[in-house]
Amino acid sequence: MVEGPMTQGAGRGSDVWHGGAGATGSGPVNSGFTGPGAVGSGVMGPGAAGPGAAGAAEPHPEGYTPTRRDLPVIGAAPAVPTPTLVDTPSPAAGGGEQGPLYVVGDVHGYLDELRAALLNQGIVDTEDHWTAGNTRLWFLGDFTDRGPDGIGVIDLVMQLSAEAAAAGGYCKALMGNHELLLIGAKRFGDTPVGSGAGTASFQAAWLLNGGQRSDMERLQEHHVQWMSRLDAMALADDHLLVHSDTTAYLEYGDTIAGVNDAITEALTHHDADETWDLFRKFTKRFAFRDDAGAMAARELLDTYGGRRVVHGHSPIPYLLGEVGSEDGEDAAPQVHGPHVYADSLAIAMDGGVTMAGKLLVSRLPLPA
Protein backbone atom coordinates (compact mmCIF):
# COMPACT_ATOMS: atom_id res chain seq x y z
CA MET A 1 0.00 0.00 0.00
CA VAL A 2 1.11 3.56 -0.58
CA GLU A 3 0.83 6.83 1.23
CA GLY A 4 -0.20 10.00 -0.58
CA PRO A 5 -1.53 10.09 -4.16
CA MET A 6 -1.02 6.93 -6.18
CA THR A 7 1.92 6.91 -8.53
CA GLN A 8 2.30 5.17 -11.85
CA GLY A 9 3.80 1.72 -11.85
CA ALA A 10 2.94 -1.89 -12.36
CA GLY A 11 -0.40 -2.51 -10.80
CA ARG A 12 -0.99 1.12 -9.80
CA GLY A 13 -2.75 4.04 -11.38
CA SER A 14 -4.51 7.31 -10.86
CA ASP A 15 -7.69 5.98 -9.29
CA VAL A 16 -7.49 7.30 -5.76
CA TRP A 17 -8.52 4.72 -3.22
CA HIS A 18 -7.65 6.44 0.04
CA GLY A 19 -8.95 9.58 1.65
CA GLY A 20 -5.92 10.90 3.47
CA ALA A 21 -5.22 14.58 3.82
CA GLY A 22 -3.93 16.12 0.64
CA ALA A 23 -5.11 13.27 -1.55
CA THR A 24 -5.75 14.22 -5.15
CA GLY A 25 -7.82 12.38 -7.68
CA SER A 26 -9.13 12.38 -11.16
CA GLY A 27 -12.64 13.59 -10.44
CA PRO A 28 -14.16 16.70 -8.92
CA VAL A 29 -13.69 16.93 -5.17
CA ASN A 30 -16.74 18.09 -3.34
CA SER A 31 -16.36 17.33 0.34
CA GLY A 32 -19.55 19.23 1.01
CA PHE A 33 -21.64 16.82 -1.05
CA THR A 34 -25.19 16.78 0.15
CA GLY A 35 -28.55 16.17 -1.39
CA PRO A 36 -31.28 13.61 -1.71
CA GLY A 37 -28.85 10.94 -2.90
CA ALA A 38 -26.14 11.56 -0.33
CA VAL A 39 -25.32 8.50 1.69
CA GLY A 40 -24.08 8.78 5.23
CA SER A 41 -22.74 6.09 7.47
CA GLY A 42 -25.31 3.35 7.55
CA VAL A 43 -27.96 5.55 5.88
CA MET A 44 -29.51 4.64 2.56
CA GLY A 45 -30.66 7.34 0.18
CA PRO A 46 -34.19 7.63 -1.19
CA GLY A 47 -35.15 4.83 -3.49
CA ALA A 48 -32.74 2.42 -1.82
CA ALA A 49 -35.42 0.34 -0.16
CA GLY A 50 -36.52 -2.77 -1.97
CA PRO A 51 -36.64 -6.51 -1.73
CA GLY A 52 -32.85 -6.74 -2.05
CA ALA A 53 -32.08 -4.11 0.57
CA ALA A 54 -30.51 -5.24 3.81
CA GLY A 55 -32.97 -5.33 6.65
CA ALA A 56 -36.06 -5.07 4.43
CA ALA A 57 -39.16 -5.63 6.53
CA GLU A 58 -41.20 -7.39 3.88
CA PRO A 59 -40.42 -11.06 3.10
CA HIS A 60 -38.92 -11.96 -0.26
CA PRO A 61 -41.31 -13.40 -2.83
CA GLU A 62 -41.40 -17.18 -2.91
CA GLY A 63 -38.42 -18.65 -4.76
CA TYR A 64 -36.28 -15.50 -4.60
CA THR A 65 -32.58 -16.34 -4.25
CA PRO A 66 -30.41 -13.20 -4.09
CA THR A 67 -27.10 -14.92 -4.85
CA ARG A 68 -28.21 -16.60 -8.07
CA ARG A 69 -27.16 -14.73 -11.21
CA ASP A 70 -29.83 -16.26 -13.44
CA LEU A 71 -32.73 -14.46 -11.78
CA PRO A 72 -33.98 -10.93 -12.49
CA VAL A 73 -34.38 -8.45 -9.68
CA ILE A 74 -38.03 -8.68 -8.68
CA GLY A 75 -40.45 -6.55 -6.78
CA ALA A 76 -39.03 -3.18 -7.86
CA ALA A 77 -41.25 -0.16 -7.56
CA PRO A 78 -43.58 0.24 -10.56
CA ALA A 79 -42.00 3.56 -11.54
CA VAL A 80 -38.54 2.11 -12.28
CA PRO A 81 -37.60 0.17 -15.43
CA THR A 82 -37.95 -3.59 -15.22
CA PRO A 83 -34.51 -4.96 -14.29
CA THR A 84 -33.08 -7.56 -16.63
CA LEU A 85 -30.91 -10.63 -16.25
CA VAL A 86 -27.22 -10.15 -15.56
CA ASP A 87 -26.44 -13.25 -17.58
CA THR A 88 -28.49 -14.30 -20.57
CA PRO A 89 -28.19 -17.76 -22.15
CA SER A 90 -25.76 -18.03 -25.01
CA PRO A 91 -27.45 -18.81 -28.34
CA ALA A 92 -25.12 -21.82 -28.62
CA ALA A 93 -26.72 -23.32 -25.52
CA GLY A 94 -29.97 -23.61 -27.44
CA GLY A 95 -28.34 -24.97 -30.58
CA GLY A 96 -28.39 -21.69 -32.49
CA GLU A 97 -25.51 -20.21 -34.43
CA GLN A 98 -23.38 -17.67 -32.58
CA GLY A 99 -23.12 -14.21 -34.06
CA PRO A 100 -20.13 -11.87 -34.17
CA LEU A 101 -18.45 -10.84 -30.92
CA TYR A 102 -18.04 -7.18 -29.92
CA VAL A 103 -16.52 -5.60 -26.81
CA VAL A 104 -17.05 -2.13 -25.36
CA GLY A 105 -14.43 -0.25 -23.35
CA ASP A 106 -15.01 2.01 -20.35
CA VAL A 107 -18.04 4.28 -20.80
CA HIS A 108 -17.86 6.39 -17.60
CA GLY A 109 -21.22 8.06 -18.02
CA TYR A 110 -20.76 9.20 -21.61
CA LEU A 111 -24.16 7.99 -22.77
CA ASP A 112 -24.35 10.00 -26.01
CA GLU A 113 -20.92 8.73 -27.11
CA LEU A 114 -21.99 5.16 -26.33
CA ARG A 115 -25.20 5.51 -28.32
CA ALA A 116 -23.29 6.89 -31.30
CA ALA A 117 -20.65 4.14 -31.16
CA LEU A 118 -23.24 1.35 -30.98
CA LEU A 119 -25.23 2.93 -33.82
CA ASN A 120 -22.08 3.20 -35.92
CA GLN A 121 -21.47 -0.54 -35.51
CA GLY A 122 -25.06 -1.38 -36.45
CA ILE A 123 -25.82 -2.82 -33.01
CA VAL A 124 -28.68 -0.41 -32.21
CA ASP A 125 -31.01 1.78 -34.23
CA THR A 126 -31.61 5.50 -33.84
CA GLU A 127 -34.06 4.76 -31.01
CA ASP A 128 -31.40 2.76 -29.09
CA HIS A 129 -33.07 -0.61 -29.71
CA TRP A 130 -31.11 -3.77 -30.46
CA THR A 131 -30.87 -4.46 -34.20
CA ALA A 132 -27.92 -6.88 -34.24
CA GLY A 133 -29.75 -10.23 -34.17
CA ASN A 134 -27.53 -12.95 -32.69
CA THR A 135 -24.56 -10.63 -32.12
CA ARG A 136 -22.73 -11.07 -28.81
CA LEU A 137 -21.82 -7.88 -26.97
CA TRP A 138 -19.65 -7.58 -23.87
CA PHE A 139 -19.16 -4.43 -21.80
CA LEU A 140 -15.90 -4.41 -19.85
CA GLY A 141 -17.20 -2.37 -16.91
CA ASP A 142 -16.92 1.18 -15.51
CA PHE A 143 -20.32 2.53 -16.54
CA THR A 144 -20.43 5.51 -14.19
CA ASP A 145 -18.37 8.38 -12.71
CA ARG A 146 -16.58 11.26 -14.47
CA GLY A 147 -19.19 11.52 -17.24
CA PRO A 148 -22.64 13.10 -17.11
CA ASP A 149 -25.08 10.15 -17.17
CA GLY A 150 -23.84 6.94 -15.62
CA ILE A 151 -27.32 5.77 -14.61
CA GLY A 152 -28.51 6.30 -18.18
CA VAL A 153 -25.67 4.05 -19.33
CA ILE A 154 -26.65 1.31 -16.88
CA ASP A 155 -30.30 1.55 -17.93
CA LEU A 156 -29.34 1.23 -21.60
CA VAL A 157 -27.15 -1.83 -20.95
CA MET A 158 -29.96 -3.47 -18.97
CA GLN A 159 -32.44 -2.72 -21.76
CA LEU A 160 -30.12 -4.11 -24.45
CA SER A 161 -29.56 -7.27 -22.37
CA ALA A 162 -33.27 -8.08 -22.61
CA GLU A 163 -33.62 -7.08 -26.27
CA ALA A 164 -30.53 -9.01 -27.37
CA ALA A 165 -31.70 -12.18 -25.61
CA ALA A 166 -35.07 -11.93 -27.34
CA ALA A 167 -33.30 -11.63 -30.71
CA GLY A 168 -31.07 -14.67 -30.17
CA GLY A 169 -27.91 -12.79 -29.20
CA TYR A 170 -26.71 -11.45 -25.90
CA CYS A 171 -25.48 -8.31 -24.20
CA LYS A 172 -23.46 -8.96 -21.04
CA ALA A 173 -21.33 -6.87 -18.72
CA LEU A 174 -18.36 -7.25 -16.41
CA MET A 175 -17.80 -5.53 -13.10
CA GLY A 176 -15.30 -2.69 -13.05
CA ASN A 177 -13.67 -0.98 -10.12
CA HIS A 178 -16.09 1.94 -10.45
CA GLU A 179 -19.04 -0.43 -9.99
CA LEU A 180 -17.44 -1.54 -6.73
CA LEU A 181 -16.89 2.11 -5.83
CA LEU A 182 -20.50 3.10 -6.49
CA ILE A 183 -21.85 0.06 -4.63
CA GLY A 184 -19.67 0.99 -1.67
CA ALA A 185 -20.65 4.65 -1.72
CA LYS A 186 -24.33 3.71 -1.75
CA ARG A 187 -24.14 0.99 0.88
CA PHE A 188 -21.55 2.37 3.28
CA GLY A 189 -21.27 6.13 2.65
CA ASP A 190 -18.94 7.72 5.21
CA THR A 191 -18.35 4.51 7.19
CA PRO A 192 -14.58 4.47 7.93
CA VAL A 193 -12.50 1.81 6.21
CA GLY A 194 -8.82 1.05 6.67
CA SER A 195 -6.81 2.11 3.65
CA GLY A 196 -3.26 1.66 4.90
CA ALA A 197 -2.77 5.41 4.52
CA GLY A 198 -5.15 6.51 7.23
CA THR A 199 -8.90 6.47 7.57
CA ALA A 200 -10.88 6.60 4.34
CA SER A 201 -14.47 6.07 3.23
CA PHE A 202 -16.22 5.01 0.07
CA GLN A 203 -17.98 8.38 -0.08
CA ALA A 204 -14.69 10.27 -0.11
CA ALA A 205 -13.09 7.92 -2.63
CA TRP A 206 -16.13 8.10 -4.89
CA LEU A 207 -16.02 11.90 -4.94
CA LEU A 208 -12.28 11.92 -5.57
CA ASN A 209 -12.73 9.56 -8.50
CA GLY A 210 -15.37 11.49 -10.41
CA GLY A 211 -18.54 10.56 -8.55
CA GLN A 212 -21.51 12.49 -9.95
CA ARG A 213 -24.22 13.78 -7.64
CA SER A 214 -26.88 13.23 -10.30
CA ASP A 215 -25.94 9.55 -10.52
CA MET A 216 -26.29 9.06 -6.77
CA GLU A 217 -29.64 10.83 -6.74
CA ARG A 218 -30.98 8.52 -9.47
CA LEU A 219 -29.36 5.31 -8.26
CA GLN A 220 -32.02 2.75 -7.34
CA GLU A 221 -31.72 -0.49 -5.43
CA HIS A 222 -32.29 -2.55 -8.57
CA HIS A 223 -29.22 -0.85 -10.12
CA VAL A 224 -27.15 -1.83 -7.07
CA GLN A 225 -28.45 -5.41 -7.20
CA TRP A 226 -27.62 -5.62 -10.91
CA MET A 227 -24.08 -4.32 -10.43
CA SER A 228 -23.41 -6.56 -7.44
CA ARG A 229 -24.19 -9.68 -9.51
CA LEU A 230 -21.96 -8.85 -12.48
CA ASP A 231 -19.21 -11.31 -13.28
CA ALA A 232 -15.59 -10.24 -12.95
CA MET A 233 -14.24 -12.19 -15.92
CA ALA A 234 -15.38 -14.27 -18.89
CA LEU A 235 -14.00 -16.26 -21.82
CA ALA A 236 -15.36 -15.59 -25.30
CA ASP A 237 -13.84 -16.95 -28.51
CA ASP A 238 -10.42 -17.48 -26.89
CA HIS A 239 -10.44 -13.95 -25.49
CA LEU A 240 -10.14 -13.66 -21.70
CA LEU A 241 -12.30 -10.64 -20.85
CA VAL A 242 -11.54 -8.68 -17.67
CA HIS A 243 -11.95 -5.10 -16.57
CA SER A 244 -8.63 -4.29 -14.92
CA ASP A 245 -5.12 -4.84 -16.29
CA THR A 246 -4.06 -6.53 -13.07
CA THR A 247 -3.28 -10.05 -11.91
CA ALA A 248 -5.39 -9.57 -8.74
CA TYR A 249 -7.97 -11.97 -10.18
CA LEU A 250 -5.59 -14.80 -9.27
CA GLU A 251 -6.22 -14.08 -5.59
CA TYR A 252 -9.86 -15.15 -5.91
CA GLY A 253 -9.62 -18.53 -7.60
CA ASP A 254 -8.00 -20.61 -10.32
CA THR A 255 -11.08 -20.89 -12.53
CA ILE A 256 -13.31 -18.24 -14.06
CA ALA A 257 -16.34 -19.61 -12.24
CA GLY A 258 -14.41 -19.68 -8.97
CA VAL A 259 -13.35 -16.06 -9.29
CA ASN A 260 -16.83 -14.89 -10.20
CA ASP A 261 -18.45 -16.83 -7.37
CA ALA A 262 -15.92 -15.58 -4.81
CA ILE A 263 -16.47 -11.92 -5.71
CA THR A 264 -20.24 -12.26 -5.86
CA GLU A 265 -20.22 -13.99 -2.48
CA ALA A 266 -18.02 -11.27 -0.95
CA LEU A 267 -20.51 -8.59 -2.00
CA THR A 268 -23.41 -10.45 -0.38
CA HIS A 269 -21.72 -9.97 3.00
CA HIS A 270 -22.39 -6.21 2.94
CA ASP A 271 -19.10 -5.67 4.73
CA ALA A 272 -17.44 -2.28 4.17
CA ASP A 273 -13.86 -3.47 4.67
CA GLU A 274 -14.32 -6.54 2.48
CA THR A 275 -15.84 -4.44 -0.31
CA TRP A 276 -13.05 -1.88 0.09
CA ASP A 277 -10.44 -4.61 -0.32
CA LEU A 278 -12.08 -5.66 -3.60
CA PHE A 279 -12.14 -2.08 -4.82
CA ARG A 280 -8.52 -1.48 -3.82
CA LYS A 281 -7.26 -4.58 -5.62
CA PHE A 282 -9.13 -3.86 -8.83
CA THR A 283 -7.86 -0.30 -9.08
CA LYS A 284 -4.40 -1.73 -9.74
CA ARG A 285 -3.16 -1.42 -13.29
CA PHE A 286 -0.28 -1.75 -15.78
CA ALA A 287 0.44 -5.42 -14.96
CA PHE A 288 0.97 -6.21 -18.66
CA ARG A 289 2.80 -3.05 -19.68
CA ASP A 290 6.48 -3.32 -18.84
CA ASP A 291 9.22 -5.93 -19.29
CA ALA A 292 7.40 -8.56 -17.26
CA GLY A 293 4.03 -7.72 -18.83
CA ALA A 294 3.92 -10.63 -21.26
CA MET A 295 4.72 -13.03 -18.42
CA ALA A 296 1.88 -11.60 -16.32
CA ALA A 297 -0.58 -11.88 -19.21
CA ARG A 298 0.56 -15.45 -19.87
CA GLU A 299 -0.02 -16.34 -16.21
CA LEU A 300 -3.65 -15.24 -16.47
CA LEU A 301 -4.14 -17.04 -19.78
CA ASP A 302 -2.55 -20.25 -18.55
CA THR A 303 -4.79 -20.18 -15.48
CA TYR A 304 -8.13 -19.19 -16.98
CA GLY A 305 -7.79 -20.01 -20.68
CA GLY A 306 -7.76 -17.96 -23.85
CA ARG A 307 -5.13 -16.65 -26.22
CA ARG A 308 -5.40 -12.93 -25.41
CA VAL A 309 -6.40 -10.86 -22.40
CA VAL A 310 -8.87 -8.09 -23.30
CA HIS A 311 -9.21 -5.33 -20.69
CA GLY A 312 -10.40 -1.81 -20.03
CA HIS A 313 -9.56 0.30 -16.96
CA SER A 314 -6.32 1.98 -18.12
CA PRO A 315 -6.93 4.56 -20.87
CA ILE A 316 -4.69 3.83 -23.83
CA PRO A 317 -2.93 7.25 -23.74
CA TYR A 318 -2.24 6.74 -20.03
CA LEU A 319 -1.10 3.16 -20.60
CA LEU A 320 1.35 4.37 -23.23
CA GLY A 321 2.72 7.08 -20.93
CA GLU A 322 1.57 9.83 -23.28
CA VAL A 323 -0.43 11.62 -20.57
CA GLY A 324 0.29 11.94 -16.87
CA SER A 325 -3.07 10.71 -15.58
CA GLU A 326 -6.56 9.69 -16.68
CA ASP A 327 -8.27 12.84 -15.41
CA GLY A 328 -8.26 14.58 -18.78
CA GLU A 329 -6.07 17.54 -17.78
CA ASP A 330 -3.46 16.76 -20.43
CA ALA A 331 -4.06 16.98 -24.14
CA ALA A 332 -4.70 13.38 -25.15
CA PRO A 333 -3.31 12.00 -28.41
CA GLN A 334 -5.73 10.64 -30.97
CA VAL A 335 -6.94 7.09 -30.29
CA HIS A 336 -7.93 5.19 -33.41
CA GLY A 337 -8.65 1.75 -31.96
CA PRO A 338 -7.65 -0.90 -29.43
CA HIS A 339 -4.00 -1.18 -28.38
CA VAL A 340 -2.33 -4.59 -28.78
CA TYR A 341 0.75 -5.10 -26.61
CA ALA A 342 2.58 -7.51 -24.24
CA ASP A 343 3.87 -9.65 -27.14
CA SER A 344 0.35 -9.51 -28.60
CA LEU A 345 -1.08 -11.23 -25.51
CA ALA A 346 -3.08 -8.20 -24.31
CA ILE A 347 -5.59 -5.82 -25.88
CA ALA A 348 -6.44 -2.51 -24.18
CA MET A 349 -9.97 -1.28 -24.89
CA ASP A 350 -10.26 1.95 -22.88
CA GLY A 351 -9.94 4.64 -25.53
CA GLY A 352 -9.91 7.46 -23.00
CA VAL A 353 -13.37 8.95 -23.51
CA THR A 354 -12.90 10.87 -20.25
CA MET A 355 -9.88 12.68 -21.72
CA ALA A 356 -11.41 13.57 -25.08
CA GLY A 357 -10.29 10.26 -26.52
CA LYS A 358 -12.60 7.67 -28.05
CA LEU A 359 -15.23 5.30 -26.71
CA LEU A 360 -14.25 2.01 -28.32
CA VAL A 361 -16.70 -0.61 -29.58
CA SER A 362 -14.68 -3.21 -31.46
CA ARG A 363 -15.29 -6.55 -33.09
CA LEU A 364 -13.12 -9.51 -32.03
CA PRO A 365 -10.90 -10.98 -33.21
CA LEU A 366 -9.16 -7.82 -34.31
CA PRO A 367 -8.02 -7.67 -37.95
CA ALA A 368 -4.52 -9.00 -38.46
Side-chain angles (χ1 to χ4, degrees), residues 37-45 48 52-54 64 66-67 175 179-191 193 201-203 206 216 219-230 263-276 278:
V39 184
S41 176
V43 180
M44 300 294 285
Y64 181 74
T67 58
M175 179 179 295
E179 279 68 67
L180 291 166
L181 182 58
L182 186 58
I183 290 169
K186 181 68 171 179
R187 286 181 174 174
F188 310 116
D190 292 320
T191 300
V193 293
S201 72
F202 272 104
Q203 179 79 354
W206 176 70
M216 187 62 76
L219 183 65
Q220 301 290 323
E221 181 61 21
H222 74 273
H223 295 127
V224 176
Q225 291 283 349
W226 182 82
M227 288 188 292
S228 67
R229 294 203 294 262
L230 293 174
I263 293 174
T264 300
E265 176 67 21
L267 290 174
T268 67
H269 298 160
H270 287 247
D271 181 271
D273 287 320
E274 189 171 13
T275 305
W276 181 266
L278 283 172

Side-chain angles (χ1 to χ4, degrees), residues 291-314:
D291 292 341
M295 184 181 302
R298 174 55 62 194
E299 184 179 13
L300 281 188
L301 294 169
D302 287 346
T303 302
Y304 302 117
R307 292 184 298 170
R308 276 180 167 174
V309 180
V310 182
H311 69 84
H313 188 48
S314 294

Side-chain angles (χ1 to χ4, degrees), residues 68 80 93 101 202 209 218 257 297 312 333 354:
R68 285 182 57 190
V80 301
L101 174 67
F202 272 104
N209 285 281
R218 295 164 57 205
T354 64

Side-chain angles (χ1 to χ4, degrees), residues 2-273:
V2 295
E3 295 186 8
M6 245 184 202
T7 56
Q8 291 187 42
R12 297 178 182 174
S14 64
D15 275 313
V16 179
W17 52 265
H18 61 79
T24 59
S26 57
V29 178
N30 179 10
S31 59
F33 174 80
T34 59
V39 184
S41 176
V43 180
M44 300 294 285
E58 296 183 4
H60 295 310
E62 183 179 355
Y64 181 74
T65 308
T67 58
R68 285 182 57 190
R69 294 192 193 92
D70 60 343
L71 291 177
V73 181
I74 57 179
V80 301
T82 302
T84 61
L85 302 179
V86 174
D87 292 316
T88 55
S90 168
E97 181 181 353
Q98 288 190 325
L101 174 67
Y102 287 82
V103 291
V104 184
D106 300 34
V107 182
H108 280 300
Y110 284 85
L111 178 59
D112 289 344
E113 287 79 357
L114 173 61
R115 296 170 64 210
L118 293 174
L119 180 65
N120 184 60
Q121 291 285 6
I123 295 172
V124 301
D125 61 21
T126 56
E127 300 298 321
D128 301 329
H129 293 299
W130 183 268
T131 58
N134 64 353
T135 290
R136 296 166 293 153
L137 181 66
W138 274 100
F139 285 81
L140 299 181
D142 278 9
F143 302 109
T144 68
D145 305 334
R146 298 197 175 102
D149 194 359
I151 301 304
V153 170
I154 292 175
D155 284 337
L156 178 58
V157 176
M158 295 172 75
Q159 169 201 316
L160 293 178
S161 296
E163 293 180 352
Y170 66 68
C171 171
K172 301 186 182 184
L174 296 180
M175 179 179 295
N177 61 304
H178 280 263
E179 279 68 67
L180 291 166
L181 182 58
L182 186 58
I183 290 169
K186 181 68 171 179
R187 286 181 174 174
F188 310 116
D190 292 320
T191 300
V193 293
S195 70
T199 301
S201 72
F202 272 104
Q203 179 79 354
W206 176 70
L207 290 169
L208 285 169
N209 285 281
Q212 301 295 304
R213 175 175 178 172
S214 58
D215 282 346
M216 187 62 76
E217 290 173 343
R218 295 164 57 205
L219 183 65
Q220 301 290 323
E221 181 61 21
H222 74 273
H223 295 127
V224 176
Q225 291 283 349
W226 182 82
M227 288 188 292
S228 67
R229 294 203 294 262
L230 293 174
D231 282 339
M233 60 193 323
L235 188 65
D237 293 357
D238 271 340
H239 293 86
L240 181 62
L241 309 180
V242 296
H243 172 70
S244 303
D245 45 328
T246 178
T247 58
Y249 299 92
L250 294 166
E251 300 180 37
Y252 293 92
D254 57 8
T255 66
I256 290 174
V259 171
N260 291 334
D261 288 346
I263 293 174
T264 300
E265 176 67 21
L267 290 174
T268 67
H269 298 160
H270 287 247
D271 181 271
D273 287 320

Side-chain angles (χ1 to χ4, degrees), residues 14-15 106 108 142 146 245 285-286 289 311-323 325-328 332 335 339 348-355 357-358:
S14 64
D15 275 313
D106 300 34
H108 280 300
D142 278 9
R146 298 197 175 102
D245 45 328
R285 64 175 83 243
F286 300 153
R289 185 179 70 169
H311 69 84
H313 188 48
S314 294
I316 292 169
Y318 187 29
L319 179 66
L320 295 175
E322 295 172 339
V323 297
S325 71
E326 59 174 319
D327 59 11
V335 174
H339 173 57
M349 280 293 304
D350 185 348
V353 66
T354 64
M355 54 175 65
K358 186 176 183 180

